[in-house]
Amino acid sequence: MTERTINLRDLSILIADPSPYLRTLLQGMLRGFGAGKMIEAKDAAEVLQALGKHRIDVLLCDGALPGDGGFVLTRRIRRESGNEHRTMPILLMTSDPRETIVKEGRDAGANMVVAKPLSPGNLYDRLAWVAFNPRQYIDTEGYFGPDRRFKNVGGPDGIGRRRGDAIESVKKTGRAPAQDKIDKVFNATSNGRK
Amino acid sequence: MADKSFPEARVFSPNTRFHALARRPGGVSRSQAIAGAQARIDEMQPEFGGWLNAEINALVEVVKCLKSGASEPAWIDRALFHSNQLRDVGTTMGFELVSYVANTLSMILDRIKAGADFNLASITCHMDALALVRQESYRHLRPDQVPELLNGLHQIAESVSIVPASGQK
């Protein structure tokens, strides 16, 4: 079987995080993935400014972004009916992978929640997951965003059977153990649980 | 018959540029991407030590002001900014212990911000731990190699009275 690839070359990626060092680190990782155009934002106001100025294809946003935070910002982007970025994939990053927080991200309209600290493997897998498993969007009075009852298509490429996997260092395996909990929340709805 | 009190949901498949372009041929495979990203991370390694010291020093300055009683009201946001940076970056750069210590410090600061009793000793203990893990001989260790340090930090974190979860994510 041919190995699946993702092509980020002509895509504009908006990286929103308060930490300048982490933004640089993320830029480096994404360049390593072949991404060409990246824009940085340090807070919610800069995200909105960038969305007004540029056509952004994917937003990578910290959940605790200064301003209203990434969760409120996601909800705001999704709710604005005239917003051309309304359906743009949004990946929320959080260092708090508690189930309630992850569900909050999902309910805000995020396409995926990614655990911090990030690793190249973990980030690549989530981007590939969003790219190759596009979900239908739901537009109701109370929610706009990806269908939260998305089909369980298994783990992203490169990820083994989660529960049985040994927890090794992130550098060695390229994934953060906390991500397992997050993926379970995103997959739970496919089994009729919420 | 549809219940009129529940307006129907519109279900549609958006055609985003991301989905169209990311799946084009000529992309980067997982193994190539990880190798490429790791190479970029490695390029940043020579400067990481300097950055780590600057971040810890910035935290030390905040704590000095706290000890002298000269801290400004926004001290906690300043402390959280530096602590969160260390937490979020350490492991990615290959220094898990730095992330670990910064993570419990961020937890304590979050709790104080959310209304827990201010406990300077819980912060200074973490400063001592950061001073230890910034050393070349410690920073490459994994958390499971220093269980005593971890247990100590956990006990300190637990001692900071727990308040209902704040809006921090």
Side-chain angles (χ1 to χ4, degrees), chain A residues 42-113:
Chain A
K42 69 174 186 306
D43 55 30
E46 285 192 3
V47 170
L48 295 172
Q49 212 171 31
L51 293 177
K53 265 193 210 164
H54 308 275
R55 184 175 60 187
I56 303 296
D57 299 308
V58 59
L59 169 62
L60 203 53
C61 181
D62 182 40
L65 197 67
D68 291 332
F71 293 72
V72 172
L73 182 66
T74 300
R75 213 177 283 269
R76 181 173 169 180
I77 293 167
R78 297 291 189 226
R79 292 265 167 96
E80 276 179 12
S81 55
N83 189 339
E84 64 168 321
H85 292 101
R86 205 180 183 195
T87 57
M88 158 189 70
I90 300 175
L91 283 83
L92 280 175
M93 304 179 282
T94 180
S95 47
D96 183 354
R98 278 178 300 161
E99 194 171 329
T100 50
I101 301 296
V102 178
K103 280 183 175 169
E104 197 185 323
R106 189 194 63 191
D107 293 344
N111 293 70
M112 179 49 75
V113 175

Side-chain angles (χ1 to χ4, degrees), chain A residues 13 15 26-35 38 60 123 127:
Chain A
I13 303 172
I15 299 166
L26 269 168
Q27 278 224 30
M29 281 160 69
L30 290 165
R31 281 201 199 287
F33 295 176
M38 281 158 286
L60 203 53
L123 182 59
L127 283 167

Side-chain angles (χ1 to χ4, degrees), chain A residues 3-7 9-11 18-22 24-25 28-29 31-33 55 57-58 63-64 71 87 89 94-95 98 101 104 116-118 120-121 124-125 127 130-132 134-141 144 157-158 169-171, chain B residues 7-19 21-38 40-42 44-45 47-48 51 81 84-85 87-94 96 99 103 142 165-166 168-169:
Chain A
E3 193 179 5
R4 209 152 63 174
T5 64
I6 51 173
N7 192 335
R9 202 181 51 231
D10 301 315
L11 293 167
S19 162
Y21 197 90
L22 187 66
T24 307
L25 193 54
M29 281 160 69
R31 281 201 199 287
F33 295 176
R55 184 175 60 187
D57 299 308
V58 59
F71 293 72
T87 57
T94 180
S95 47
R98 278 178 300 161
I101 301 296
E104 197 185 323
K116 277 179 167 182
L118 297 157
Y124 181 91
D125 290 336
L127 283 167
V130 173
F132 287 96
R135 283 179 278 158
Q136 289 192 309
Y137 272 54
I138 306 291
D139 183 5
T140 65
E141 211 175 297
F144 184 96
D157 283 352
S169 89
V170 170
K171 200 174 176 192
Chain B
E8 276 184 26
R10 182 170 71 97
V11 182
F12 66 102
S13 299
N15 296 312
T16 69
R17 263 172 56 87
F18 178 76
H19 289 106
L21 299 185
R23 291 184 285 183
R24 283 171 306 165
V28 178
S29 70
R30 186 179 195 271
S31 52
Q32 286 174 322
I34 291 174
Q38 195 56 54
R40 302 278 177 161
I41 293 170
D42 291 343
M44 291 174 75
Q45 288 290 357
E47 285 151 28
F48 181 71
W51 179 84
F81 174 78
N84 288 349
Q85 282 212 111
R87 176 196 64 195
D88 293 344
V89 164
T91 299
T92 310
M93 296 302 290
E96 281 182 77
S99 278
N103 183 46
R142 291 191 317 273
S166 70
Q168 287 293 318
K169 281 146 202 160

Side-chain angles (χ1 to χ4, degrees), chain B:
Chain B
M1 204 172 116
D3 185 342
K4 295 283 180 204
S5 61
F6 291 97
E8 276 184 26
R10 182 170 71 97
V11 182
F12 66 102
S13 299
N15 296 312
T16 69
R17 263 172 56 87
F18 178 76
H19 289 106
L21 299 185
R23 291 184 285 183
R24 283 171 306 165
V28 178
S29 70
R30 186 179 195 271
S31 52
Q32 286 174 322
I34 291 174
Q38 195 56 54
R40 302 278 177 161
I41 293 170
D42 291 343
E43 280 171 22
M44 291 174 75
Q45 288 290 357
E47 285 151 28
F48 181 71
W51 179 84
L52 180 67
N53 282 331
E55 287 302 302
I56 294 175
N57 289 342
L59 274 170
V60 168
E61 284 306 310
V62 175
V63 175
K64 259 189 203 164
C65 289
L66 280 173
K67 279 181 180 168
S68 68
S71 58
E72 86 277 33
W75 73 268
I76 198 145
D77 291 323
R78 274 178 57 209
L80 266 169
F81 174 78
H82 296 293
S83 181
N84 288 349
Q85 282 212 111
L86 290 168
R87 176 196 64 195
D88 293 344
V89 164
T91 299
T92 310
M93 296 302 290
F95 303 102
E96 281 182 77
L97 200 50
V98 171
S99 278
Y100 200 96
V101 175
N103 183 46
T104 53
L105 176 58
S106 287
M107 259 167 53
I108 288 170
L109 293 169
D110 272 335
R111 285 175 186 173
I112 293 171
K113 194 177 178 181
D117 289 338
F118 172 68
N119 179 346
L120 182 60
S122 67
I123 297 171
T124 50
C125 284
H126 280 79
M127 298 315 300
D128 293 344
L130 284 172
L132 192 69
V133 301
R134 87 204 291 183
Q135 292 174 25
E136 191 60 35
S137 54
Y138 266 86
R139 70 170 75 151
H140 298 278
L141 295 178
R142 291 191 317 273
D144 61 9
Q145 291 176 292
V146 282
E148 295 87 0
L149 176 69
L150 263 51
N151 287 339
L153 294 179
H154 263 298
Q155 279 174 18
I156 291 159
E158 291 301 315
S159 73
V160 176
S161 59
I162 297 167
V163 293
S166 70
Q168 287 293 318
K169 281 146 202 160

